[in-house]
């Protein structure tokens, strides 16, 4: 069947994906008791499953019990950030030469999914790890990378990003402010 399927699709990448999915040792999501069960999607492997178990345990023990308190106070505790750093949940797919863990985007997606499953809306780990840290690794100087990224990976520093201007709201393409280099200075123009 698989040989026929490959010939039918003319040995394309699609045929390889289809055949890999049909021959997977992992059960299909529809065969699992719930979609929260670990090990039901082909894009993940057993290492991802172990990481997901670790993330799920961390959130169950260190986040869920405190979520209502954080919502009431309007902030997440700094301690959970430090613990997240100790447990390898920050800087997941930041390269090791930039003081990160050098893992893949699938491990980062596991953190995104598990935070959503735990319904812990205040945890900004994905924003910190997957939006702010890449800005620093791409545009930061070596001195900035060496100074800030280790502290961001261990949870000592918490990052955020804010981009808006009057009339733009969260529409970043609507922002008109710009900066033009003028000698050693920058000239800012905008709304």
């Amino acid at each position: 069947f698989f040989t026929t399927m490959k010939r039918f699709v003319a040995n394309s990448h699609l045929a390889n994906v289809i055949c890999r999915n049909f021959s997977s040792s992992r059960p299909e999501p529809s065969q699992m008791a719930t979609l929260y069960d670990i090990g039901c999607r082909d894009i993940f492997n057993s290492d991802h499953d172990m990481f997901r178990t670790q993330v799920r345990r961390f959130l169950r023990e260190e986040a869920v019990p405190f979520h209502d308190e954080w919502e009431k106070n309007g902030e997440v505790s700094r301690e959970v950030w430090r613990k997240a750093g100790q447990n390898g949940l920050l800087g997941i797919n930041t390269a090791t030469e930039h003081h990160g863990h050098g893992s893949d985007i699938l491990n980062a997606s596991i953190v995104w999914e598990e935070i959503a499953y735990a319904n812990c809306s205040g945890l900004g780990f994905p924003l910190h790890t997957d939006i702010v840290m890449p800005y620093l690794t791409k545009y930061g100087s070596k001195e900035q990378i060496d100074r800030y990224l280790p502290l961001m990976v261990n949870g000592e520093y918490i990052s955020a990003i804010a981009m808006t201007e009057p009339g733009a709201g969260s529409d970043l393409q609507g922002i008109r402010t710009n900066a033009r280099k003028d000698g050693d200075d920058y000239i800012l123009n905008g709304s």
Side-chain angles (χ1 to χ4, degrees):
F1 170 78
F2 297 122
T3 306
T4 305
M5 176 65 106
K6 280 187 178 181
R7 255 186 265 131
F8 177 73
V9 188
N11 292 320
S12 71
H13 172 70
L14 177 61
N16 290 327
V17 169
I18 290 169
C19 292
R20 185 189 77 227
N21 286 341
F22 281 135
S23 62
S24 172
S25 62
R26 289 177 168 256
E28 291 297 318
S30 61
Q31 297 172 318
M32 304 299 282
T34 74
L35 291 179
Y36 297 117
D37 288 351
I38 296 173
C40 67
R41 290 183 281 168
D42 282 335
I43 62 171
F44 298 111
N45 61 36
S46 60
D47 291 336
H48 293 121
D49 295 344
M50 287 187 295
F51 183 66
R52 183 180 296 278
T53 300
Q54 174 190 338
V55 173
R56 191 172 286 184
R57 180 196 46 78
F58 174 84
L59 293 169
R60 185 179 56 245
E61 295 173 4
E62 303 294 342
V64 172
F66 308 102
H67 185 257
D68 289 340
E69 178 185 336
W70 298 335
E71 289 291 308
K72 183 179 144 206
N73 295 337
E75 65 183 1
V76 175
S77 75
R78 291 189 68 78
E79 187 58 29
V80 77
W81 281 89
R82 290 182 187 106
K83 289 179 179 179
Q86 292 166 1
N87 281 274
L89 306 187
L90 305 175
I92 295 167
N93 58 342
T94 299
T96 54
E97 62 266 19
H98 291 143
H99 312 284
H101 298 290
S103 190
D104 62 16
I105 193 68
L106 292 175
N107 275 327
S109 73
I110 287 168
V111 173
W112 310 334
E113 289 180 351
E114 291 301 320
I115 288 173
Y117 296 157
N119 198 26
C120 287
S121 57
L123 295 174
F125 303 161
L127 171 72
H128 175 83
T129 292
D130 304 309
I131 296 177
V132 178
M133 291 176 87
Y135 273 115
L136 193 53
T137 60
K138 183 169 175 109
Y139 301 111
S141 67
K142 178 162 177 26
E143 179 183 85
Q144 290 169 325
I145 289 168
D146 291 342
R147 179 177 177 191
Y148 295 114
L149 281 176
L151 297 168
M152 292 168 72
V153 169
N154 74 20
E156 195 62 37
Y157 278 14
I158 301 170
S159 64
I161 193 166
M163 291 187 256
T164 190
E165 66 183 24
S170 62
D171 175 16
L172 299 182
Q173 292 184 346
I175 291 177
R176 300 293 171 234
T177 300
N178 61 69
R180 181 178 48 83
K181 189 145 176 84
D182 183 22
D184 292 337
D185 299 318
Y186 284 89
I187 306 293
L188 294 177
N189 290 307
S191 56

